[in-house]
Amino acid sequence: MDERDSEQLLRGRVYGADHDDPGPRPGRVYRELVGGPLDGLLLDVTGWAADVLAGGAALPTHLGRYGGAGASRYEPRPADPRRWDWAGDSR
């Protein structure tokens, strides 16, 4: 990751963060969510085990296809696992 990529990543909002303090924190590890209803948000994965990271995540959100009863699934991009691509919504 070059310096410009790092700066761009740090401009994002963090999924689940307080609206008054939505930015990333130093010393934390993030993945960028790409596509779908959470596009552009960062997911804090600090402390996640490698096998959990490899599996991606289903993130609760009211913004997806199923409203407040749903989740949006994101999976690591094979060529760049720092970016997680949207894989669809589920209940």
Side-chain angles (χ1 to χ4, degrees), residues 1-2 5 9 30-32 77 80-84:
M1 175 185 285
D2 71 19
D5 284 344
L9 190 63
Y30 298 95
R31 297 297 184 261
E32 180 182 2
R77 183 179 291 181
D80 184 0
R82 295 168 304 171
R83 290 182 172 81
W84 286 12

Side-chain angles (χ1 to χ4, degrees), residues 22-60:
R25 300 229 179 266
R28 307 294 293 179
V29 178
Y30 298 95
R31 297 297 184 261
E32 180 182 2
L33 304 176
V34 180
L38 303 177
D39 184 48
L41 293 180
L42 302 175
L43 178 65
D44 187 343
V45 297
T46 306
W48 290 28
D51 61 329
V52 175
L53 284 170
L59 305 170

Side-chain angles (χ1 to χ4, degrees), residues 4-27:
R4 285 174 298 177
D5 284 344
S6 295
E7 290 172 4
Q8 182 65 28
L9 190 63
L10 291 176
R11 289 189 192 126
R13 294 177 49 104
V14 177
Y15 168 82
D18 187 335
H19 289 287
D20 293 333
D21 189 15
R25 300 229 179 266

